[in-house]
Amino acid sequence: MEILVCIKRVPLVGSTFILTDDASEIDTRRLGFTLSPHEECAVEAAVQLRDAHGGSVTLLSLGTAETEEQLREQLAIGADRAILAITDGSEPDPQATAAALLEAIRADGAQFDLVLLGSESADVAGYQTGIRLAHALGLPVVTGVKGLTVDAGVARCERAVGSEREVYSVALPAVITVKDGLNIPRYPSVPGRIKARKKEVSTHEVTLAAPRIVKGRLVVPAAAAKGTKVLDANEQGAAALVDVFREIGLLA
Amino acid sequence: MILVHVDHDRGAVDAVSLQALTLARCLDSDVQAVIMGGAEFAPELGEYGASIVHVAEHPGLTDYAPQATARAIVGLINSLAPTAVLGAGTARGNEVLAHVAAMTDLPFAADCTEITLGSPVRVTRARWGGNLLEESTVITTTLFATVFAHAIPAVQSPAAGAVSAFTPELSPADLAVVIIERAGAASAGVTLAEAKVVVSGGRGMGGPESFSLLEDLAGLLGGTVGCSRVVTSAGWRPHAEQVGQTGTKIAPDLYIACGISGATQHLAGCKNSKTLIAINTDPDAPIMQIADYAIVGDVHAVLPQVIALTRAATGA
Ligand SMILES: Cc1cc2nc3c(=O)[nH]c(=O)nc-3n(C[C@H](O)[C@H](O)[C@H](O)COP(=O)(O)OP(=O)(O)OC[C@H]3O[C@@H](n4cnc5c(N)ncnc54)[C@H](O)[C@@H]3O)c2cc1C
Ligand SMILES: Nc1ncnc2c1ncn2[C@@H]1O[C@H](COP(=O)(O)O)[C@@H](O)[C@H]1O
């Protein structure tokens, strides 16, 4: 089974959002970058499926040259090769993202039985790249998947709805977007990292269409000033908490 | 005219779809709804401002079918030419509108908290699970957008709610992805999303054994257990209990965060809790700044005391 996984380099965010002076971007100078848990689960699922069914796992990311960092990290957990669709760093909207990913897939030329993406990107959360890519590739798409098995060319996809699960079935080739909780992604091992250094990362220059969702300012919503009450870490503090339980009607 | 896609599931209208109807009513006096089957919901949608309820009738639409729903909506867009099509900022609402946008090759703004129609169209939309907002302009002929869940309350604004049935033209490809089976809840008891009280643990719990403390306290308070992503990725607790941006978003009456630092991605899931209590050894942990009540201490020392006193108070 030939599997493609689309992953996106996103800013690492700690306890608060620090924006650039013009409020157009997150300030990444201190914390650096990471991947969304959804996409980590997508790579883990791809590696598990390859190990069970044979074939290979290709990673694809659209981003700046530095995106190689995230691609190498995921090559280290077991993906076979990577494609980096290089941009100048301007932020495409989801429509332009899907178009550029399509261009890179076409330029690469390989045929994929399964294309995995995250349900939504960690930063933009456009909820659409996988669906747009599926329409462009003429493939069916199942989204938000938290349980995935493949048997005889058919994928069984489970999606959580409250405490229940909806089950969809789709014949491959197909696009599937997945969510955190699909599996527990492994950490890269030292041998994995060493092997990853030698794996192929091919680059494609892609042209980005002008965004039709034109990003203006970013705003950090103001948190309500709470006035935290600090209680003692002893019997008295514990008793005060029980009073709180009583006040909000949990205890008679 | 604004067209609003309304989702329903086994006998109930989706609450966020009603919030989308409310936002639509703030933008235009003529709001119409489109629903897949479910003519019986027309009076309710009328109460929330729909003058006409377009009911798609097709044997393939007896249960949720994402691409078929989108195809039906695209058909209506072609005949009615709405200025905007809105939907719910839910897994289904976002999925349907993304299909509509892909079919028509137009932009789609998911999870909007504010919309201003005109030229240009302006939206404010949620990034990072709502911890960051983006103010954007959308270059489009018809705005496709969903309304961020629970950003605005649904308000009644009665209109006719007249049913207009139509039969969409669907291809086999539109019906390739449908629900084939439903698997019920694994266990009975309160679910995380519905629980009034959530007692949640993070890395500071030290290991899976300590979660019995959280189960005890949750049991006494009629609540359930939650956790952070560090806990699920270590395999200490199932992902169904994860609170946050890529877990479940909750708004319980009481949230007790034990050994959780309060990363933005965790707060995205619990910051709407009515009362938030944090227990943490680090007085400077971000969770301590947003908590209503904070205890600076070790969970292994504090929780047994709280449990003992709560048990005494319940007489259990
Ligand atoms: C795109 C993205 C999405 C994410 N989505 C989620 C999500 O949905 N949910 C989520 O939770 N995280 C999510 N994360 C991860 C998130 O960034 C944090 O890594 C995570 O929330 C931290 O978990 P924690 O608070 O348990 O651990 P830590 O940050 O390590 O905090 C542990 C805390 O325990 C305290 N502590 C230690 N020992 C004790 C003790 N004995 N008694 C009391 N306190 C003690 C420490 O002072 C510290 O504050 C996401 C990350 C990304 C990049
Ligand atoms: N720049 C990118 N490079 C590779 N994949 C991407 C990129 N942007 C988005 N994706 C994929 O598309 C998914 C959904 O993104 P979005 O539509 O922005 O919510 C993400 O989880 C990724 O898997």
Side-chain angles (χ1 to χ4, degrees):
Chain A
M1 186 159 37
E2 296 303 316
I3 309 173
L4 179 74
V5 191
C6 300
I7 61 174
K8 181 179 189 183
R9 171 181 163 97
V10 294
L12 196 58
V13 178
S15 56
T16 48
F17 283 88
I18 301 166
L19 302 180
T20 54
D21 290 340
D22 65 355
S24 68
E25 309 283 350
I26 291 171
D27 188 336
T28 50
R29 279 173 304 185
R30 274 194 322 155
L31 288 177
F33 293 84
T34 186
L35 268 198
S36 162
H38 296 324
E39 291 151 41
E40 288 175 1
C41 288
V43 178
E44 176 65 38
V47 169
Q48 287 181 15
L49 285 169
R50 179 210 52 203
D51 291 348
H53 299 268
S56 74
V57 175
T58 304
L59 306 173
L60 168 59
S61 190
L62 173 74
T64 58
E66 288 77 27
T67 305
E68 191 176 334
E69 179 191 345
Q70 278 63 44
L71 290 171
R72 293 270 175 219
E73 190 81 5
Q74 297 304 305
L75 287 170
I77 81 146
D80 297 283
R81 69 177 181 112
I83 307 167
L84 173 52
I86 290 206
T87 70
D88 55 6
S90 66
E91 190 182 299
D93 69 1
Q95 216 173 346
T97 299
L101 292 176
L102 179 71
E103 190 186 322
I105 293 170
R106 292 263 156 83
D108 179 72
Q111 297 289 318
F112 297 102
D113 304 299
L114 178 60
V115 180
L116 295 177
L117 300 90
S119 146
E120 79 277 4
S121 54
D123 55 347
V124 173
Y127 287 91
Q128 58 195 274
T129 304
I131 292 173
R132 288 190 186 273
L133 193 57
H135 279 268
L137 291 167
L139 296 178
V141 54
V142 184
T143 71
V145 168
K146 255 185 164 177
L148 173 63
T149 51
V150 176
D151 186 27
V154 176
R156 180 187 160 92
C157 307
E158 294 188 7
R159 166 150 135 174
V161 187
S163 57
E164 298 187 341
R165 297 208 156 202
E166 293 172 350
V167 184
Y168 297 81
S169 148
V170 67
L172 303 185
V175 175
I176 297 177
T177 80
V178 308
K179 281 180 95 78
D180 188 12
L182 176 65
N183 49 42
I184 300 179
R186 71 193 79 175
Y187 291 105
S189 63
V190 174
R193 281 185 201 280
I194 293 167
K195 269 197 222 153
R197 281 193 221 138
K198 296 204 197 78
K199 289 181 181 171
E200 175 201 352
V201 177
S202 54
T203 54
H204 287 286
E205 300 280 340
V206 286
T207 40
L208 290 180
R212 290 206 257 175
I213 298 183
V214 185
K215 186 179 69 168
R217 216 165 46 118
L218 297 177
V219 180
V220 183
K226 281 260 187 172
T228 305
K229 195 156 188 241
V230 180
L231 306 174
D232 293 332
N234 54 23
E235 181 115 356
Q236 236 171 337
L241 275 198
V242 175
D243 287 341
V244 174
F245 300 159
R246 212 172 269 119
E247 258 167 57
I248 57 182
L250 297 173
L251 301 175
Chain B
M1 187 272 286
I2 297 181
L3 187 64
V4 178
H5 164 240
V6 174
D7 179 35
H8 65 100
D9 194 32
R10 289 164 297 162
V13 167
D14 160 49
V16 185
S17 297
L18 298 179
Q19 296 162 16
L21 273 174
T22 301
L23 181 68
R25 242 344 238 274
C26 301
L27 302 176
D28 195 319
S29 56
D30 188 4
V31 170
Q32 302 183 10
V34 53
I35 190 163
M36 302 300 114
E40 66 274 21
F41 300 119
E44 184 176 353
L45 303 184
E47 283 299 308
Y48 284 90
S51 60
I52 301 177
V53 179
H54 300 275
V55 180
E57 288 175 346
H58 191 286
L61 290 171
T62 50
D63 201 349
Y64 178 65
Q67 186 169 321
T69 302
R71 189 72 66 193
I73 294 173
V74 170
L76 266 192
I77 293 170
N78 291 337
S79 57
L80 302 174
T83 49
V85 181
L86 303 188
T90 58
R92 286 184 176 183
N94 282 328
E95 175 174 48
V96 166
L97 267 288
H99 273 289
V100 169
M103 288 168 181
T104 53
D105 198 25
L106 289 173
F108 160 47
D111 287 353
C112 294
T113 57
E114 282 173 55
I115 294 173
T116 313
L117 294 177
S119 49
V121 173
R122 291 178 194 283
V123 299
T124 302
R125 55 174 303 276
R127 289 186 168 218
W128 292 99
N131 277 321
L132 189 61
L133 298 174
E134 158 201 342
E135 297 175 345
S136 291
T137 53
V138 187
I139 302 167
T140 187
T141 46
T142 311
L143 174 68
F144 297 149
T146 54
V147 178
F148 193 46
H150 310 298
I152 55 162
V155 177
Q156 293 191 338
S157 165
V163 170
S164 167
F166 72 108
T167 307
E169 262 181 56
L170 305 177
S171 71
D174 293 331
L175 291 162
V177 173
V178 295
I179 297 174
I180 56 159
E181 189 186 316
R182 289 174 191 270
S187 64
V190 260
T191 66
L192 185 58
E194 293 156 2
K196 295 260 177 272
V197 176
V198 175
V199 186
S200 206
R203 192 201 303 266
M205 294 303 294
E209 329 72 51
S210 307
F211 276 74
S212 64
L213 292 170
L214 307 184
E215 281 167 353
D216 288 350
L217 186 56
L220 289 168
L221 297 174
T224 191
V225 171
C227 68
S228 73
R229 183 162 197 271
V230 165
V231 167
T232 52
S233 50
W236 296 354
R237 302 293 293 188
H239 188 269
E241 293 180 0
Q242 183 180 313
V243 172
Q245 183 177 335
T246 58
T248 306
K249 287 190 187 177
I250 56 174
D253 291 343
L254 176 63
Y255 189 74
I256 309 181
C258 306
I260 293 177
S261 62
T264 54
Q265 298 91 355
H266 186 81
L267 297 182
C270 65
K271 66 180 176 197
N272 292 330
S273 306
K274 289 201 190 75
T275 299
L276 200 154
I277 295 171
I279 304 171
N280 199 303
T281 42
D282 176 5
D284 297 324
I287 193 87
M288 303 295 258
Q289 320 310 313
I290 73 141
D292 297 282
Y293 301 92
I295 294 191
V296 184
D298 185 332
V299 286
H300 300 99
V302 175
L303 281 170
Q305 292 185 345
V306 176
I307 291 166
L309 290 179
T310 307
R311 185 168 283 129
T314 57

